Amino acid sequence: MVGVVDPSLIRNFSIISHVDHGKSTLSDRILELTKAVDPRDMRAQYLDSMDIERERGITIKAQNVRVQWKEHTLHLIDTPGHVDFGYEVSRSLAACEGVVLLVDASQGIEAQTLANCYLALESDLEIVAALNKIDLPAADPERYAEEIETVLGIAAESVLRISAKTGEGVDVLLDEVIKRIPAPKVDRSAPLRALIFDSYYDQFRGVVSAIRVVDGSIKKGEKIRFSQAGSTHEVEDIGVRTPAELSLNELGAGEVGFLIAGVRNVGEARVGETVTDASRPAKEPLAGYRDPKPMVFCGLYPVDGDQFPDLREALERLQLNDASISYSPETSAALGFGFRCGFLGLLHMEIVRERLEREFNLSLIATSPSVAYSAHLTDGSTVVVDNPSDLPPPQNIDHIDEPLLRVTVITPAEYTGTILDLCQTRRGIQERMQYLSASRIELVYTIPLAEIVIDFFDQLKSRTKGYASLDYEAAEMVTADLVRVDILLNSQPVDAFSSIVHRSKADDYGRKMAAKLRELIPRQLFDVPIQAAIGGRIIARETVKAKRKDVLAKCYGGDITRKHKLLEKQKEGKKRMKSIGRVEIPQEAFVSALRLDD
């Protein structure tokens, strides 16, 4: 395996599918079949290296591995299936010539199957379709092979039947990969061009990048240049993952491997960067990637204000590993210094927050998720608002545009009614409804993004007993009747609790938030009014009753006027305290009030 591999014997491919259709399990079987992993070291979902992936049973990061099969060198990339990590999939496809498209033989085509298949077609990749889980009693491969032919146009007889769990048919799949997926087209004599499609930071070795060599070759010890960053480095180590790291002296065109060049500044080795030879640089860099557009925003604040610099460094390093995060500093009167972060979806936001807390030992508060609105002002200018507290006063706003999503739901026909009801209550507009087969329907709706970010996915799953699947893509911006609901404590607005909602749902949101905070805020020595307001109009109110200190405890008998005098004195003190007293909000109240799952 040492030395440059003949490009005609290389096959680079990704495994793509819907969530839970068996990508990681198929990777396990391929590792076993090609004897890449010692049987004693083998474990389920071998390539899922993060604890959080193993706990949740989902792939978050695409992983690559090199295996040998019948004189051929296969570079396999296992990709995530969840819609929030579609960006990881699109990056992985840039390092491949073909894909293995997995479809569950007991469930058929799901929404993400379609989305990932279209990604592969856009990248002009060869598709090898396979029906997985044929060992299940509910499997119906004939029916779903016809569905694949009808929906995706892949001939039913060319669809393979495999079981990633038992290993049945996996050897045939590898033979078909060699037969159907083309070898990489390369130019060995051209100047070096390699594409970075993933990176992570190692505290001992600096930035470790996953690269695909497109032209030329890269050797240990030579000087290389990062085209976009314009910096020059020396190659300290190159090699391949088998899945253990194996160092090599040279990687040739068409190969996929890792690169370590002593890069300490995480900004230099960004994903999509072109690596070229410093002495003979390539004229044109590689196309790289479109920057993903964040769809959901929230504020991340350290519980301990002293951790702000640590949070900045953690976000820098995590962005290297996950280029789809964006962040900028912001301040909040209630929470102090933090960052406004952009994510591709709610699951992505949850995972990033959890990774920051685990991998960098931080304790964080996340504000309610919001989306980016365009506020058109009366003076003709436009501002983008991703933080509710940045929304200009109502009198300065002409109208507000909100982003829409085009949502595709694939569901068994018996749940159509409940899904139509869900989409209607979320201000959805139906675009089309068609039968994929006698028992399965595809629904396409345009729904405001703000209606989806909170709990749309959970509602969809619970209403369909988990059978419906969801995919979405950004659509246009449209004008909507939106207002900002402020939460006031003791007549002071608390910016962390502000939210932009549709006017028809504002009263409901205000009442719920006020009631929730009444449970969470501890009693003070004075009454604390909790109000929800739109501009100057109060739409809901709750009161946290005062604690009563017993000032009469030392009065034993005596004239009643003595007691009255003490009570009047207490009343005066409470009045004065109320006018100058600031309400102390415990950290738990922020965490609980802003919980996503409530």
Side-chain angles (χ1 to χ4, degrees), residues 18 106-111 143-144 147 408-420 433-443 460-470:
H18 188 75
S106 63
Q107 292 181 336
I109 289 176
E110 303 277 17
R143 173 181 156 199
Y144 291 123
E147 188 175 278
T408 304
V409 178
I410 294 181
T411 175
E414 65 260 35
Y415 300 114
T416 310
T418 183
I419 293 176
L420 293 176
M433 174 173 163
Q434 69 179 63
Y435 278 85
L436 298 178
S437 64
S439 58
R440 285 166 32 97
I441 280 185
E442 179 188 46
L443 292 164
L460 181 73
K461 286 293 182 191
S462 62
R463 288 179 182 219
T464 61
K465 300 181 182 162
Y467 282 112
S469 64
L470 171 78

Side-chain angles (χ1 to χ4, degrees), residues 12-84:
N12 298 321
F13 69 99
S14 281
I15 304 177
I16 59 172
S17 81
H18 188 75
V19 188
D20 274 345
H21 280 204
K23 292 178 295 298
S24 298
T25 309
L26 177 59
S27 300
D28 289 350
R29 289 302 80 74
I30 291 174
L31 291 177
E32 281 182 352
L33 196 63
T34 58
K35 299 187 170 51
V37 179
D38 189 306
R40 289 171 303 182
D41 299 331
M42 193 63 203
R43 58 166 200 255
Q45 279 76 48
Y46 190 91
L47 294 177
D48 288 350
S49 51
M50 282 191 269
D51 289 344
I52 192 169
E53 290 180 310
R54 309 189 73 76
E55 282 166 24
R56 290 175 177 247
I58 57 172
T59 300
I60 294 165
K61 287 295 300 169
Q63 300 288 351
N64 67 84
V65 64
R66 169 158 150 175
V67 296
Q68 298 298 113
W69 181 252
K70 297 186 177 174
E71 280 76 58
H72 285 75
T73 297
L74 309 183
H75 289 129
L76 145 73
I77 303 177
D78 176 25
T79 62
H82 196 280
V83 61
D84 281 13

Side-chain angles (χ1 to χ4, degrees), residues 488-559:
L488 313 171
L489 291 184
N490 205 11
S491 306
Q492 296 297 314
V494 182
D495 54 357
F497 295 136
S498 295
S499 190
I500 297 173
V501 292
H502 194 265
R503 195 181 295 276
S504 64
K505 300 192 173 184
D507 291 20
D508 191 38
Y509 173 82
R511 276 196 296 273
K512 275 186 185 163
M513 202 64 174
K516 199 174 192 181
L517 285 171
R518 196 190 71 176
E519 307 295 319
L520 296 168
I521 290 174
R523 290 167 71 185
Q524 320 279 319
L525 288 171
F526 51 90
D527 282 1
V528 178
I530 301 168
Q531 296 163 310
I534 298 173
R537 185 170 69 89
I538 304 298
I539 55 171
R541 172 179 170 133
E542 296 279 349
T543 306
V544 178
K545 285 301 197 190
K547 272 197 283 197
R548 183 154 178 236
K549 186 179 173 189
D550 191 359
V551 290
L552 306 180
K554 293 176 184 165
C555 277
Y556 301 111
D559 189 4

